[in-house]
Structure formats: structure tokens, C-alpha cells
């Protein structure tokens, strides 16, 4: 009985080691486990019989690599990984992806059943002292996300019906690049084939068609930081009006006092860029900075500031 337990413990230790590094020379595994290389080979065969896809690596110092298999074998997680998975599953159960709430709860129940008491306490403490604001807005079909992610990986063109913000639906063809999340929203970034331009699509407005389109050669993204590109595009969509000011004050003095972008223009000046949907409110914001400034663009801002100034001068205080 003792030999069986020793072998089982050694197999678990071997599996854990294979999961921590891509390639393991056979001699290193034998040294870590305190056994002969022949025992390592037998243990590798036992793992393979249990469904773990352990591949042999060639070379003088050949060894082993844990690969991907056709079925999901049991996984070994350390303490921090187990807590991270449990928290992730609880978040997903109340998340923005349609169809995975029940699945997440089932997986969480299985995990919490085998969690040691000290780990279960960590997860429950975090959950007890975390307050979540109810989600708002539409949710995303999990199938859309998984298929889109797979198309990004496999470089396959996507065909889908897309509903724009005015409620109009049309078929699109896109070469997907990546998925971006912001708040409760998921966005697909891709090259629109018919428009010959990079586009951002809200994932909850996508209805995928089958099958996927042909494979494609990946293009350089519109910017190295795709998330920043999406963020900037969303800002322009939400706040279509832009105002630029030459402020007669150091950038360090202005930065943090407004939600605009501040760029230094020498030691004692900076360029302030504000975005919004109302020129009058923009004029009020820059006036409250209590510094001298000049309007760079648009010219209509000067008229709004003149109106604001006259109104303040004529007001009784």
C-alpha cells in the first residue's frame, strides 16, 4: 500500500513540475523527484495512460513537454491559482457574457468542494467584503467571443450581421485582430474587407454567420497599442467636439485639474485638449482653470467665451 501511495504522490509531483515549465530534461526531472531516469519514463507512461498528452522532446538532453490533448485531464493548481480561478468564476457568474453564468456556478461548486479550508476562507472573505454594482446594458453571447477569439488565432475571416447604433443591420466581412474589453463592453477590432479600413465592432451587436471566410495574411494593427486605439475611438464617438487651448501655465500646474490632455509647450506654457459634446460647457471648464489662455481651435469657442464673459460681467453679485 505504501508503494502505491508513494507512486501516486510522485505522479502528482511530476505533473505539477510539467505544468510549471515548457520543457523538462529527463535528468532534471529525475533529480527533482529523487528517482532514476527509468522511473521517470515509467511515470510518464502512467500519465499518458491517464490522458495527459506528454510529448518527448528530441536532442542530446532530450526530455518531456506537457502538450494539448483531445480531452481535458485533471489540473493541478497552487494556492494562488486556485483562489484566482474561484474569484474569476464568481465574477463570471454575474458578468456580461451570456450563457456562462450557470456553467460558472457549476464549475465553482466543484472547485469549492475540494478547496482546503484556508483557501475557501480567502475566497469567501473577498466575496463577503466586495460590493458589486448591478450590471447595465446588453450582454454578449459567449459563442461570439470564443468564435471571434478562435478566428483571431487562426487568421480566418469572419462573416457576420452587424447592427449599428441607429439600429440598421448589414452583413460585414472582417479580418479579426483582437478582442478588447472596457467596462461592461466587449469590442472586436478587425480590418473591414469591404470598407478597406480598421473598424471597432461592439460584440453584443454581432451575429456570426457560418462558416467563417477564408484565411488571411495578418496586417499591422492601426496602432501598436490596440486597446489605446479603441479607447481613443470610443472617446471620439462619445465626445465628438474637440477644443484646443494654448494655456500660459506649466503643464504640471494644469495636469490633474481637468480631464483633458495636457502637452508641454516650453517651460511655462502647455497645450490643453478637451473633448465633449457642448462648446459652452467646454468654455466654462477652461475659464475655471483661472489661468490665461488662447483658443487654438475651433473658432466657435471664442464666440462662446465672449458670450460667457459678457454674461458674467453683466450679472449682479
Amino acid at each position: 500500500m505504501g508503494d502505491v501511495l508513494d507512486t501516486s504522490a510522485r505522479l502528482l509531483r511530476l505533473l505539477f513540475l510539467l505544468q510549471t515549465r515548457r520543457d523538462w530534461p529527463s535528468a532534471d526531472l529525475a533529480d527533482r523527484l529523487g528517482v532514476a531516469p527509468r522511473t521517470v519514463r515509467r511515470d510518464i507512461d502512467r500519465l499518458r495512460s491517464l490522458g495527459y498528452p506528454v510529448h518527448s522532446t528530441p536532442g542530446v538532453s532530450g526530455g518531456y513537454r506537457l502538450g494539448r490533448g483531445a480531452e481535458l485531464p485533471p489540473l493541478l493548481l497552487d494556492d494562488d491559482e486556485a483562489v484566482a480561478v474561484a474569484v474569476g468564476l464568481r465574477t463570471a457568474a454575474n458578468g456580461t457574457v451570456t450563457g456562462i453564468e450557470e456553467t460558472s456556478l457549476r464549475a465553482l461548486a466543484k472547485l469549492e468542494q475540494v478547496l482546503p479550508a484556508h483557501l475557501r476562507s480567502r475566497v469567501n472573505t473577498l466575496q463577503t467584503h466586495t460590493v458589486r454594482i448591478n450590471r447595465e446594458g446588453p450582454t454578449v453571447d459567449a459563442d461570439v467571443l470564443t468564435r471571434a477569439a478562435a478566428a483571431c488565432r487562426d487568421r480566418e475571416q469572419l462573416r457576420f450581421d452587424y447592427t449599428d447604433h441607429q439600429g440598421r443591420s448589414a452583413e460585414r466581412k472582417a479580418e479579426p485582430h483582437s478582442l478588447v474589453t472596457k467596462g461592461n463592453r466587449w469590442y472586436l477590432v478587425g480590418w473591414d474587407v469591404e470598407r478597406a479600413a480598421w473598424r471597432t465592432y461592439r460584440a453584443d451587436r454581432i451575429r456570426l454567420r457560418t462558416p467563417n471566410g477564408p484565411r488571411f495574411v495578418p496586417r499591422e494593427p492601426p496602432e501598436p497599442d490596440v486597446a489605446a486605439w479603441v479607447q481613443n475611438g470610443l472617446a471620439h464617438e462619445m465626445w465628438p467636439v474637440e477644443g484646443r487651448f494654448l494655456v500660459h501655465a506649466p503643464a504640471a500646474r494644469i495636469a490633474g485639474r481637468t480631464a483633458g490632455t495636457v502637452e508641454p509647450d516650453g517651460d511655462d506654457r502647455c497645450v490643453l485638449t478637451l473633448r465633449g459634446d457642448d462648446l459652452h460647457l467646454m468654455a466654462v471648464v477652461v475659464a475655471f482653470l483661472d489661468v490665461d489662455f488662447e483658443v487654438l481651435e475651433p473658432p466657435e469657442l471664442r464666440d462662446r467665451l465672449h458670450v460667457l464673459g459678457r454674461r458674467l460681467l453683466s450679472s449682479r453679485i
Side-chain angles (χ1 to χ4, degrees):
M1 184 67 177
D3 292 341
V4 174
L5 292 176
D6 290 343
T7 301
S8 299
R10 192 174 64 247
L11 283 177
L12 291 174
R13 175 63 179 164
L14 174 59
L15 179 59
F16 179 80
L17 291 173
L18 289 172
Q19 291 179 160
T20 60
R21 209 166 84 185
R22 179 175 175 80
D23 293 300
W24 276 96
S26 179
D28 287 358
L29 287 175
D31 183 62
R32 287 292 192 97
L33 297 172
V35 297
R38 187 193 315 182
T39 302
V40 173
R41 289 195 296 271
R42 287 200 300 264
D43 287 346
I44 291 293
D45 289 337
R46 292 188 180 100
L47 288 179
R48 287 168 175 165
S49 68
L50 294 173
Y52 291 96
V54 184
H55 305 306
S56 299
T57 57
V60 177
S61 58
Y64 302 98
R65 174 187 302 170
L66 186 62
R68 296 181 177 88
E71 297 180 353
L72 179 66
L75 300 176
L76 286 180
L77 303 173
D78 63 24
D79 286 5
D80 290 338
E81 291 169 342
V83 171
V85 171
V87 172
L89 288 171
R90 285 196 174 184
T91 302
N94 295 309
T96 59
V97 182
T98 305
I100 68 169
E101 295 92 342
E102 183 179 349
T103 306
S104 299
L105 287 174
R106 290 202 308 268
L108 179 61
K110 293 178 181 178
L111 180 60
E112 290 191 335
Q113 184 178 5
V114 297
L115 279 180
H118 68 285
L119 295 185
R120 191 181 302 112
S121 175
R122 285 175 58 183
V123 174
N124 289 337
T125 298
L126 178 62
Q127 187 71 14
T128 300
H129 297 280
T130 300
V131 179
R132 179 182 177 86
I133 298 176
N134 292 334
R135 67 188 182 202
E136 297 179 357
T139 56
V140 183
D141 191 331
D143 184 60
V144 170
L145 297 180
T146 54
R147 284 184 56 191
C152 294
R153 178 197 63 201
D154 299 335
R155 300 172 182 175
E156 290 183 348
Q157 187 184 106
L158 283 175
R159 301 166 52 247
F160 54 92
D161 295 311
Y162 188 71
T163 303
D164 63 19
H165 65 282
Q166 296 179 342
R168 298 172 301 192
S169 182
E171 182 181 357
R172 302 287 184 91
K173 296 178 182 178
E175 299 173 357
H177 178 274
S178 55
L179 287 166
V180 176
T181 61
K182 175 178 170 52
N184 288 341
R185 294 277 190 264
W186 289 79
Y187 300 91
L188 172 67
V189 176
W191 176 265
D192 193 298
V193 175
E194 296 181 350
R195 292 162 178 77
W198 286 97
R199 290 288 189 268
T200 300
Y201 309 95
R202 262 182 46 179
D204 58 280
R205 295 175 175 172
I206 291 176
R207 298 296 178 266
L208 291 174
R209 295 191 175 197
T210 54
N212 288 347
R215 293 176 64 86
F216 61 88
V217 177
R219 305 170 186 269
E220 287 295 322
E223 291 183 13
D225 189 342
V226 176
W229 181 78
V230 172
Q231 173 76 9
N232 187 54
L234 294 176
H236 280 72
E237 181 179 327
M238 294 176 60
W239 313 112
V241 179
E242 180 178 279
R244 297 179 68 247
F245 306 85
L246 179 62
V247 180
H248 295 267
R253 178 180 172 186
I254 302 302
R257 296 178 59 191
T258 173
T261 302
V262 181
E263 299 178 3
D265 184 35
D267 294 334
D268 56 355
R269 300 195 313 180
C270 60
V271 175
L272 170 64
T273 303
L274 296 176
R275 297 202 64 86
D277 58 357
D278 184 272
L279 287 176
H280 181 76
L281 181 58
M282 196 175 295
V284 172
V285 170
V286 74
F288 269 89
L289 291 177
D290 193 27
V291 292
D292 293 333
F293 62 88
E294 303 171 32
V295 175
L296 297 178
E297 58 181 350
E300 295 83 0
L301 256 176
R302 297 188 183 93
D303 299 334
R304 296 298 180 98
L305 284 162
H306 289 155
V307 171
L308 177 62
R310 287 196 298 269
R311 183 168 298 147
L312 291 173
L313 289 173
S314 63
S315 298
R316 296 181 180 180
I317 301 176

